């Protein structure tokens, strides 16, 4: 199942989403190793891209093995958006993605992210200016939630922005079918995705929300008709979800969960890449949150989780790997994530 986003061609319609504090280069590299054809950098402020400094240099550095990669921008001023988009194109990003979906309160209070879903004129001016700045050199895409809240007025503004963005030539739209008000609470309304796809016609629509296993991805695509998906929380600590998606979408059986030995190899590579990117001290601190999520797939998950929580020094990380991922031990099979906090042992039937 191929997917084309402007000039970017993907051999499977599944991407790693932009996630603040998570989808950095080390995470994207691991996702690609496990089968992700496309990944987005974590959302960044347009002003951070424009101000010289260490953060700017890190954002504007793209690696040869990190393509295609999307750069997701967030801000409040059309001029800053446009200049930042131009800089990201110059840095080698393959897609420029505009964030109108972030529900974090401090973002909303600063008139960014999901706030703009209530301001169609301002939102569409940002899209127009970014398109002009990019000038066809890269596809421009849009990330939206289904509105600020559940009111008819909020839905009307969503479709006003959607229609305006389509008229301005965006290559694809990613829709998370929760409202900004919901944040991450309550079920995502997949029925809304079906309506959006029918409304958008031939324009590429990607779905997001409540995708925690490969079966969820298949169900979303079948039930809503979206062209593809972006996986966010479901791939943190579980990059193997991408190989599982590849199998199911190709009509093959679901592969077994990763063994403890496979988990060790990926953890070691992820940690090594983080240390290379940030240095040993900061890299080990960043990796604690990843280790905690990786632990969910270990057959002794709770104990491994506690070990990662207690890992406060760089050397502690290697100690966790040596003890809990010892390839010489006869570990039980790994487990598979089937939902947020819900796991199933290898070979068991889904409840």
């Amino acid at each position: 199942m191929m997917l084309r986003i402007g000039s970017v061609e993907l051999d499977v319609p599944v991407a790693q989403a932009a996630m603040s504090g998570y989808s950095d280069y080390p995470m994207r590299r691991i996702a690609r190793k496990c089968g992700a054809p496309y990944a987005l950098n974590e959302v960044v402020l347009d002003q951070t891209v424009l101000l010289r400094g260490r953060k700017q240099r890190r954002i504007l550095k793209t690696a040869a093995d990190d393509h295609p990669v999307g750069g997701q921008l967030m801000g409040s001023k059309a001029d800053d958006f446009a200049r930042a988009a131009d800089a990201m194109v110059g840095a080698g990003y393959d897609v420029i993605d505009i964030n109108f979906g972030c529900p974090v309160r401090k973002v909303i209070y600063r008139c960014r992210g999901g706030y703009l879903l209530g301001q169609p004129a301002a939102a569409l001016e940002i899209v127009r200016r970014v398109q002009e700045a990019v000038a066809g050199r890269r596809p421009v895409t849009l990330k939206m939630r289904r509105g600020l809240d559940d009111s008819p007025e909020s839905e009307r503004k969503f479709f006003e922005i959607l229609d305006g963005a389509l008229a301005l030539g965006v290559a694809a739209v990613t829709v998370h079918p929760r409202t900004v008000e919901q944040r991450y609470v309550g079920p995502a309304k997949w029925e809304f995705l079906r309506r959006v796809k029918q409304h958008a016609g031939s324009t590429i629509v990607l779905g997001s929300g409540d995708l925690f296993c490969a079966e969820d991805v298949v169900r979303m695509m079948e039930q809503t008709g979206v062209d593809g998906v972006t996986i966010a929380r479901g791939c943190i600590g579980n990059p193997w979800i991408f190989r599982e998606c590849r199998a199911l979408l190709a009509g093959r059986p679901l592969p077994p969960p990763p063994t403890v030995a496979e988990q060790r190899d990926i953890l070691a590579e992820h940690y090594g890449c983080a240390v290379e990117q940030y240095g040993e001290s900061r890299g080990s601190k960043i990796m604690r949150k990843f280790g905690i999520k990786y632990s969910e797939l270990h057959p002794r998950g709770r104990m491994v989780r506690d070990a990662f929580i207690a890992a406060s020094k760089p050397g502690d990380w290697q100690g966790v790997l040596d003890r809990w991922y010892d390839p010489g031990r006869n570990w039980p099979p790994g487990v598979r994530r089937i939902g947020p906090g819900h796991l199933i042992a290898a070979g068991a039937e889904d409840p």
Side-chain angles (χ1 to χ4, degrees):
M1 299 178 67
M2 304 289 289
L3 178 66
R4 183 181 289 275
I5 301 174
S7 58
V8 175
E9 189 172 277
L10 311 178
D11 65 344
V12 65
V14 180
Q16 181 193 276
M19 291 168 281
S20 181
Y22 283 95
S23 56
D24 57 3
Y25 168 63
M27 183 179 180
R28 298 195 304 274
R29 176 174 163 179
I30 294 301
R32 294 182 195 281
K33 186 180 183 73
C34 292
Y38 171 51
L40 288 97
N41 185 34
E42 56 186 314
V43 60
V44 295
L45 288 176
D46 48 16
Q47 294 175 359
T48 305
V49 177
L50 299 173
L51 295 176
R52 293 182 179 180
R54 184 183 303 172
K55 283 187 177 180
Q56 184 210 44
R57 290 192 296 272
R58 188 169 69 245
I59 291 167
L60 295 182
K61 181 181 178 181
T62 56
D65 63 349
D66 190 26
H67 292 279
V69 60
Q72 188 176 98
L73 283 169
M74 182 167 65
S76 60
K77 297 179 180 178
D79 183 59
D80 289 343
F81 255 107
R83 291 189 295 133
D86 180 63
M88 296 187 88
V89 170
Y93 281 89
D94 301 290
V95 177
I96 302 301
D97 192 55
I98 301 172
N99 184 303
F100 289 162
C102 182
V104 176
R105 288 189 178 90
K106 67 179 181 180
V107 170
I108 303 300
Y109 292 155
R110 292 184 172 95
C111 304
R112 301 165 176 160
Y115 168 85
L116 288 160
L117 292 175
Q119 307 293 324
L124 291 174
E125 177 63 9
I126 288 169
V127 176
R128 184 182 69 81
R129 292 292 304 281
V130 168
Q131 284 280 45
E132 289 176 351
V134 172
R137 293 172 293 164
R138 299 289 190 276
V140 174
T141 60
L142 192 60
K143 170 66 184 292
M144 305 174 70
R145 282 188 169 233
R146 65 179 175 87
L148 289 174
D149 52 39
D150 280 316
S151 68
E153 177 67 8
S154 184
E155 182 173 307
R156 183 192 66 76
K157 289 180 178 179
F158 171 92
F159 281 103
E160 182 179 346
I161 295 171
L162 176 64
D163 288 341
L166 298 184
L168 288 167
V170 296
V173 178
T174 298
V175 179
H176 182 119
R178 286 188 178 89
T179 65
V180 172
E181 186 178 70
Q182 276 185 278
R183 301 185 72 194
Y184 301 100
V185 179
K189 292 189 176 181
W190 287 10
E191 168 62 19
F192 186 77
L193 290 177
R194 187 186 66 80
R195 290 174 53 204
V196 171
K197 178 54 193 172
Q198 290 179 343
H199 185 88
S202 61
T203 300
I204 297 297
V205 175
L206 305 177
S208 177
D210 291 348
L211 299 175
F212 291 96
C213 62
E215 295 95 327
D216 290 338
V217 169
V218 174
R219 280 194 292 268
M220 175 179 279
M221 294 185 66
E222 289 178 346
Q223 292 177 17
T224 69
V226 293
D227 303 286
V229 303
T230 63
I231 302 176
R233 290 179 293 163
C235 70
I236 300 174
N238 183 24
W240 297 277
I241 192 173
F242 294 108
R243 75 175 184 187
E244 294 168 355
C245 288
R246 283 182 174 273
L248 290 190
L249 291 172
R252 301 193 303 270
L254 193 69
T259 65
V260 172
E262 288 179 292
Q263 293 176 43
R264 178 190 172 93
D265 289 345
I266 288 295
L267 274 161
E269 183 173 345
H270 196 161
Y271 181 82
C273 188
V275 169
E276 182 179 335
Q277 176 97 345
Y278 303 108
E280 190 170 40
S281 178
R282 186 172 176 222
S284 63
K285 291 178 181 177
I286 288 172
M287 283 301 297
R288 285 181 70 227
K289 62 188 177 187
F290 285 103
I292 291 167
K293 295 301 292 183
Y294 275 112
S295 71
E296 293 181 3
L297 305 187
H298 195 285
R300 301 289 181 265
R302 186 176 296 276
M303 290 182 282
V304 180
R305 179 180 182 273
D306 291 344
F308 276 123
I309 290 173
S312 59
K313 301 185 297 296
D316 294 344
W317 240 85
Q318 188 60 47
V320 175
L321 290 184
D322 290 343
R323 179 179 181 185
W324 292 106
Y325 294 87
D326 180 359
R329 289 184 60 178
N330 186 25
W331 294 104
V335 298
R336 189 164 59 87
R337 188 184 294 163
I338 59 172
H342 300 292
L343 308 165
I344 185 170
E349 294 183 358
D350 287 356

